[in-house]
Each structure stands twice: as structure tokens, then as C-alpha cells.
Amino acid sequence: MPVEKMQFQAETKRLLELVVNSIYTNKEIFLRELISNASDAIDKLRIESLTNSDLAEESEPEIFVLPDEKTKTITISDNGIGMTRDEVIANIGTIAKSGTKDFLDKLRESTSAAAQELIGQFGVGFYSAFIVSEKVELITRKAGTDSGVKWTSDGTGEYELEDCDKDTPGTIIVLHLKPEFIGDGEYNFTDAYEIEQLVKKYSDFVRYPIKMNFEVKGNENDEPTIEIRIVNSMKPLWTRNKSEITREEYDEFFKQQLHEWEAPREIFHVKAEGTVEYTALLCIPKHAALNLYYSDYEAGLQLYSRHVFIMEKCKDFLPDWLRFVKGLVDSPDLPLNISRELLQQSVEVKVIGKALEKNLLKQLGKMLRDDRDKYEDFWREFGKSFKIGVYNSMFDKKAQDSLKDLLLFQTSRDGKFSTLAEYVERMPESQKQIYTAAGKDVSSIERLPQMELLRERGLEVLYLTDPVDEFTVDVLRTYAEKTFQSITRENFELDDAESQKIKAEVNEIAKSHEDLLKDVRDAIGGEVKEVRLTSRLKSGAVCLVTGEGGPSLSQEKTFAAMNNPMFKATQILELNPNHAIFGKLENLHALGKDAPEFKSLCTTLYSLALLIEGVMPTDPVDLADKVTDLLTNSL
Ligand code: ADP
């Protein structure tokens, strides 16, 4: 069989360059990564063999780690599921993960300290082999097939593939170590005792035996003999008493068990012995997975029954808005060979899931009350999940109720995060609604002309800066019996005496300007439903507001980005009758409604109102020309 040369997928190649140039300060972790891949492969074979008797395990599961001084290699082998040729190409030659490209772009822009932090979130798994190796060989045979395939690469862009013989299913990985890892410097990865320590440190809880060879010297004249020893304890961490487990042990456990690159931010270790008996060991990671909000993100908890692994991602325990929670559930009340379909209907799974959900919410609620900084930090990373959760619970009042008190929004008070309860608590008695404003960030909302009046009246506005926010409050509709009211919607009005007085005055002016308003609307064309006078502006000349019911302008943008351009906002242009430009408009109107000067001012005002809302006018060049003319004549 010829050797075939192949190229890594472009993104994989870039990631490899980063790994090889060793952004990782911790060189040892390659071992943990390869051992946990080996352990996963054994899990997969076990699960497959439950339904496919041809795959019945030929031998007891085991992982071998063999450092070798003579060949300057370290070999990690397993008798797990193995890979076919196509799987090697798909799994080892490509990184099929949403967000990889964005991630690499971000990485390129960041400083090296930030880069370390970032790459920590990625987890490069198998590629970590190249941190310590100048060449990596992977020989694998898929269980149920009878020939193997050998993959070789020096990690620079190409790899070689060739068919080969392999006696048993499973995978062997041979790392040809770089000189700095064979004893000349800080590390000697060919030393069995050094490697034994690393296995104990990083992989002690792996549930299959990790075996190593040790030379045992006999009497002086005897040749040394080789003794095989199991170096990991294999005792599942979660079966131990909480009080006896250190934070370091938990951290290491999550890293090795869940392929996490950082210690988790929060840990929950729960044992229950009620109607259903179970132990759960859950964590909230420090950072959100890069693909957390992409469709290829796989949520779910590992499932064990009597410490035997059953399933990698059981989705039936936690609701989608807790998708970022990782960990495992071990319950003796679940049968070993349960199928996914049966799991969904399992009463035990439901009971456990409900209890875990309740527990997590309780802990988070407690964090919000007792350690605000910590909660806000959590919120910055994962808050979006809860907001999406509310949106997706449109018909599930109970879910909304359990989430609404955990939501945070920045507000106009001081830009800091506020809960809805805190906002309502601060509302003056005369204020009947919760005022909201949407925009791409705090500063663009603060500069909205509609904000001026509220600021002057000392009224607080909830900032909706994430595209999902508006949808979230739309679903909630009310909080503590106060409705959410956007300050850029048609119906918004302030009901204090002063505001009512201004409104009455504006209405008077409007009555005598009905023709003008109609003609402005005609001049703009069909884009706006109505042109009217406003009492919500102070110094601003114009603003655009949207009709009740339909999407807002920013929701329209979100829909368009999701390829739903048919959801359009109803636009209403509002003019400030107290602004000088209004007088100008009246004067030009006197020239006749078809006068080019009048029409031009109308379309310009409309373009400006769009720009203020962050929407591109239909004819930006026209606007640019007008502004240029204006400047030329006035300077
Ligand atoms: P991850 O383990 O996070 O998926 P890796 O880069 O470590 O990422 O591995 C990519 C894929 O290659 C794995 O998901 C698995 O399908 C396959 N793989 C890696 N190591 C082995 C192994 N020892 N046996 C079988 N398959 C493996």
C-alpha cells in the first residue's frame, strides 16, 4: 500500500502552529489528554458492544504508557474502539467545531498573555502531543475491522497515511520526543518514575487501569526483570466523602474527566438518598465554550450506573438554559444498558434532573445574594443562556418564574448590573412601567435622543444591549406587575404633570399642522407608517419609533441576520416642534409639497432618524452629498 500524503485542514494547521510554538506553559498535560482519549475510546467500545455482540471485548480494558529511553519515545496504547481510515482523516486532520475560525482570529489579535487565556478555553486534545514531540505516529484499528492504518506527522501541515497490520483493535500513539523532553532539561519523559508521577497527578481517576512497565532488579547477577504495575487508583472521586476531597483534586478531576483546560469556577457535589439514589458531581466552567450557542454544542451530563459508565452526554437531566453545566450523575437506580429513548421516559432521570435544576438555581440565587461580584462574573460569561432560556420558555410560566430573578441588566443609573427586583424597588411611586431601551452597547443607548428627557426627569432605564434582551423582556411582558415599556415604541409616554402639559401643547400644534405631517410622510415614501409630532424629545430634532406589537428596529436587524427579512418594524417618524428645523420645514412646505427643497429636507430628516437608530439609510450617498453641500456653504 502506498503512503499517502495529505494536508491538514487550514484551521487545524494554524492551531497546530500555535501548539507547536508552545503557547502552553504546562508541557505535561499532553499525557492527560492522550490518556483521556484512550479512556473515551474504551468507553465507546463498551457501549457499542452492548448492542453489537461481534464486538464483545476480546480482552480486559487497559491503557499502557511506555516511556523508552533507547528510542526516545513514549507510547500510549489502548484497546478501545479504534478508528477507520476515514475517521482518522476526520478526527485527526480537522477540527470540526463551530467558532474555531473566530477563535483563531481572536487569538491572532491578542497579546501573548491574553492568548494563553484564550487557548485555554479551546482545548486542543490530541494536538497537545506536538507540544513535546517532533514526530507523532498513530496506529489504529477499528473494532470489527481487520486491518489498521498508520498516521504520521511532524505537525507542520502535512501528514502521511498508510495501511498497516495491527493484531488487535485499539490505538497506539508513539511520540518521538523533542530533545528538551528526554532528560537534557527540566523534563525526562522517558523516565518511568517521572511518568508514573504524572499519571498519578493527572489521571488517577481514570476508570480503566493505566499500566506501566518497571524494571525490577533481582540479585546482583540476575538480569533485571520487568514488572507490570497499575499506576492509577481508579477509585471514582465522586464516591469519596466530600469533606475528604481537596479543591485541587476536584480541579484535576474535571480537567481529566471532562477535557477541561481550566479549573472550573463552581463545583457542586450532591449525594441524595431519597426516592431515587444518586450522586452528582457538576461544575460551571470558568469560561463559556466557544460554540456554546452554536448548534453543534453538545450539552449533557455523563451518566454512570453503579460507577460504570453508560453515556457521555445525557441531555435529559437539565434544561437547555443550563447547557453550560458539565459533570456526571451516578445512580444505582438506572439500568446499565438503557437506551436513549428509554432514558427520555425514565422517571428516575426526571426526578434527578428536577432536583439538580432546583439545587443549581438555589446555589446561583445564593451567590447573587451573598457574593454579588462572583455572580456578576458568572453572569458576564453565561447570562445569555438564561435570557435565551426565558425566550424559549414562552409558554412555560414556571420556567420564566424560576429565571426572572436571576436576570441582570445594566441600567442608566450607573451602568452597573441590576436585577429586575432592584430596579422596581428604586422606581418612584409615580412610575408605572419598567422603561427599556435597546442598542448595540451602553454608550449608543445613552446617546439616543429619547434618553434625554428621562435623564432629566431622573427616571431609570433598563439597557437591552444583547440582541436576545428585547426578546426576553417581550416574553416576560411584566415583572412585579409592572409592564416593560420601550422608550422607542409608539405608545411610550411619561405621565407626570409636566410631561402631560407638554403633550397637550404638542397636540395643539399637531392639529394645526396636519397637512404638513401628511406631506412629510408622502415625501419620504412608503417606509414610514406615520409622521407625527413628539413630546419625548428635548434637544433632538427627530427620532424614529416603532409600532407596538411587531418587531423593533433592532429586532428587525436580528431577524434579517437570521435570514428572516419578512419581519419588519412599523416605523413612525417623530418631529420635535420645538426644534428650529421644524420652522425651516414649515417655511419650505410653504413653497408647495412638491418643492424639491421641501422633499429633500424630509428625506434627510428621515435618513438622520435612521442613523440615530443605527440603521443604514437606503441612500447613504445622497445623505453624504447633502451634508457635503451644507458644509461647503456654511464654512
Ligand atoms: P476531543 O477528544 O476533544 O474530541 P481530540 O483532538 O483529543 O479531541 O480527538 C479528536 C477525536 O479523535 C476524538 O473525538 C476521537 O474521535 C478520536 N480519537 C482520539 N484519540 C483516540 C483514541 N485513542 N482512540 C480512538 N479515537 C480517538
Side-chain angles (χ1 to χ4, degrees):
M1 245 299 166
V3 179
E4 206 178 329
K5 276 202 193 309
M6 303 183 74
Q7 292 281 333
F8 281 107
Q9 169 209 35
E11 276 142 29
T12 311
K13 203 177 143 195
R14 273 176 65 198
L15 197 60
L16 265 168
E17 281 161 13
L18 284 164
V19 174
V20 175
N21 295 325
S22 213
I23 279 177
Y24 294 98
T25 39
N26 190 352
K27 313 285 180 192
E28 309 158 355
I29 42 80
F30 76 94
L31 196 59
R32 174 183 76 207
E33 294 306 305
L34 298 181
I35 289 176
S36 68
N37 279 350
S39 149
D40 290 351
I42 297 174
D43 281 341
K44 284 182 196 154
L45 178 59
R46 267 208 36 248
I47 304 288
E48 284 269 310
S49 60
L50 289 177
T51 48
N52 182 351
S53 55
D54 295 346
L55 297 182
E57 291 161 70
E58 290 172 21
S59 46
E60 285 298 309
E62 62 182 10
I63 298 165
F64 252 98
V65 178
L66 299 170
D68 186 345
E69 273 173 31
K70 283 191 212 79
T71 53
K72 301 180 176 127
T73 60
I74 175 165
T75 300
I76 293 110
S77 70
D78 65 70
N79 53 0
I81 187 106
M83 283 177 272
T84 63
R85 187 187 176 90
D86 287 347
E87 283 168 344
V88 171
I89 297 173
N91 296 339
I92 307 291
T94 49
I95 296 177
K97 203 176 190 186
S98 302
T100 306
K101 203 179 158 299
D102 294 348
F103 164 74
L104 288 169
D105 290 343
K106 245 205 283 182
L107 201 61
R108 214 211 305 246
E109 288 160 14
S110 50
T111 59
S112 74
Q116 280 203 18
E117 164 106 339
L118 272 175
I119 196 151
Q121 296 171 48
F122 196 77
V124 287
F126 175 78
Y127 300 115
S128 61
F130 289 101
I131 300 174
V132 296
S133 315
E134 50 194 24
K135 185 169 96 172
V136 176
E137 289 168 293
L138 176 144
I139 299 134
T140 185
R141 182 179 135 192
K142 175 92 175 195
T145 69
D146 30 59
S147 73
V149 58
K150 181 172 165 188
W151 177 99
T152 315
S153 176
D154 61 3
T156 53
E158 279 189 342
Y159 59 89
E160 287 177 1
L161 267 187
E162 62 189 303
D163 290 343
C164 70
D165 290 330
K166 188 174 182 305
D167 292 341
T168 51
T171 303
I172 303 170
I173 293 166
V174 186
L175 309 181
H176 295 263
L177 295 162
K178 292 180 186 168
E180 61 263 43
F181 299 109
I182 53 179
D184 296 345
E186 197 182 331
Y187 304 101
N188 184 0
F189 294 147
T190 62
D191 180 86
Y193 292 96
E194 194 169 322
I195 292 296
E196 180 188 19
Q197 291 315 310
L198 293 182
V199 173
K200 279 193 193 302
K201 179 171 170 192
Y202 292 114
S203 308
D204 197 47
F205 315 115
V206 168
R207 47 202 173 268
Y208 303 110
I210 303 171
K211 297 180 180 174
M212 289 183 67
N213 290 341
F214 293 91
E215 269 188 15
V216 186
K217 294 213 167 57
N219 292 331
E220 263 177 40
N221 306 333
D222 292 348
E223 280 287 301
T225 51
I226 299 291
E227 180 189 283
I228 299 176
R229 275 210 321 257
I230 297 175
V231 285
N232 57 329
S233 75
M234 287 191 280
K235 185 171 164 59
L237 182 77
W238 64 93
T239 60
R240 281 170 43 192
N241 245 336
K242 246 160 103 164
S243 56
E244 293 162 11
I245 308 173
T246 63
R247 175 74 202 212
E248 285 70 32
E249 284 180 299
Y250 277 126
D251 289 351
E252 265 324 310
F253 175 79
F254 280 112
K255 285 192 204 170
Q256 98 56 38
Q257 180 92 4
L258 302 170
H259 298 237
E260 286 291 300
W261 281 69
E262 301 167 290
R265 97 179 22 236
E266 284 302 310
I267 292 168
F268 307 91
H269 189 172
V270 198
K271 272 188 187 16
E273 277 160 355
T275 36
V276 184
E277 189 184 329
Y278 67 89
T279 302
L281 187 46
L282 309 181
C283 76
I284 300 177
K286 197 156 275 162
H287 289 96
L290 292 158
N291 60 348
L292 187 61
Y293 303 112
Y294 289 84
S295 58
D296 68 346
Y297 177 81
E298 260 200 280
L301 303 178
Q302 293 180 344
L303 183 60
Y304 288 78
S305 175
R306 298 179 192 280
H307 321 329
V308 178
F309 177 79
I310 301 182
M311 186 186 290
E312 179 63 34
K313 303 267 183 189
C314 178
K315 294 188 183 54
D316 307 307
F317 287 115
L318 296 177
D320 193 55
W321 42 267
L322 286 171
R323 49 168 48 206
F324 53 84
V325 174
K326 295 188 168 184
L328 60 90
V329 175
D330 186 357
S331 169
D333 297 332
L334 291 168
L336 269 180
N337 49 1
I338 190 165
S339 70
R340 273 186 196 276
E341 293 70 34
L342 280 178
L343 259 185
Q344 270 172 2
Q345 297 154 19
S346 153
V347 180
E348 289 80 7
V349 169
K350 284 205 179 75
V351 171
I352 298 172
K354 273 286 152 230
L356 291 177
E357 178 186 330
K358 221 169 122 189
N359 194 309
L360 285 163
L361 284 175
K362 205 172 114 200
Q363 303 285 342
L364 287 167
K366 194 166 167 329
M367 194 200 290
L368 174 61
R369 280 193 307 278
D370 301 346
D371 195 342
R372 183 63 173 241
D373 288 347
K374 198 171 174 191
Y375 187 81
E376 288 187 6
D377 198 48
F378 156 80
W379 180 260
R380 277 186 205 95
E381 202 61 30
F382 296 105
K384 196 185 178 84
S385 305
F386 288 2
K387 296 189 283 193
I388 296 174
V390 171
Y391 177 65
N392 287 335
S393 318
M394 211 172 292
F395 305 109
D396 184 351
K397 194 84 183 71
K398 238 174 112 197
Q400 291 174 30
D401 284 345
S402 55
L403 284 174
K404 65 184 183 195
D405 285 313
L406 291 170
L407 305 179
L408 295 184
F409 295 93
Q410 281 165 289
T411 83
S412 60
R413 195 168 79 116
D414 47 11
K416 292 208 183 105
F417 281 117
S418 176
T419 63
L420 293 172
E422 288 160 352
Y423 177 98
V424 169
E425 178 71 36
R426 288 191 294 265
M427 277 167 61
E429 210 162 317
S430 57
Q431 188 186 338
K432 299 286 180 283
Q433 297 170 314
I434 300 172
Y435 299 130
T436 67
K440 72 175 181 1
D441 49 34
V442 168
S443 65
S444 37
I445 300 178
E446 276 174 349
R447 296 173 63 179
L448 283 176
Q450 292 96 323
M451 283 293 292
E452 200 180 351
L453 200 61
L454 283 114
R455 203 176 293 126
E456 195 185 83
R457 299 271 199 283
L459 293 168
E460 188 175 354
V461 179
L462 212 61
Y463 290 163
L464 309 179
T465 48
D466 189 305
V468 70
D469 290 350
E470 275 184 280
F471 294 93
T472 304
V473 299
D474 279 356
V475 166
L476 285 177
R477 290 198 9 252
T478 61
Y479 180 86
E481 290 165 20
K482 314 270 188 241
T483 40
F484 291 97
Q485 173 64 53
S486 162
I487 65 163
T488 59
R489 287 277 188 180
E490 184 179 5
N491 286 355
F492 167 77
E493 65 181 52
L494 294 173
D495 39 20
D496 58 293
E498 167 84 12
S499 304
Q500 289 299 326
K501 192 173 141 248
I502 299 175
K503 197 177 153 215
E505 285 164 13
V506 166
N507 282 347
E508 274 309 302
I509 307 175
K511 266 191 208 144
S512 55
H513 288 79
E514 272 172 12
D515 285 351
L516 170 71
L517 295 174
K518 189 183 152 297
D519 292 342
V520 176
R521 199 197 84 125
D522 291 347
I524 293 168
E527 300 293 335
V528 297
K529 186 188 97 177
E530 189 190 343
V531 175
R532 60 186 200 182
L533 297 187
T534 189
S535 54
R536 72 178 95 202
L537 293 181
K538 253 193 86 66
S539 62
V542 284
C543 68
L544 204 59
V545 302
T546 46
E548 302 294 327
S552 70
L553 282 167
S554 44
Q555 284 177 317
E556 178 182 315
K557 264 194 257 175
T558 308
F559 282 126
M562 295 184 330
N563 283 330
N564 278 325
M566 62 280 197
F567 293 108
K568 289 258 184 228
T570 312
Q571 301 181 6
I572 297 160
L573 181 70
E574 292 194 345
L575 306 173
N576 184 355
N578 298 317
H579 194 283
I581 199 87
F582 187 70
K584 194 96 187 180
L585 197 63
E586 279 184 293
N587 292 345
L588 294 179
H589 187 231
L591 301 175
K593 72 182 172 87
D594 295 321
E597 295 88 339
F598 171 69
K599 285 184 132 176
S600 169
L601 183 56
C602 293
T603 52
T604 307
L605 288 175
Y606 174 56
S607 295
L608 294 176
L610 281 171
L611 276 180
I612 291 169
E613 288 296 324
V615 180
M616 185 63 125
T618 29
D619 193 350
V621 176
D622 177 60
L623 181 67
D625 287 348
K626 281 176 189 154
V627 175
T628 315
D629 281 351
L630 197 65
L631 291 172
T632 316
N633 294 331
S634 70
L635 289 175

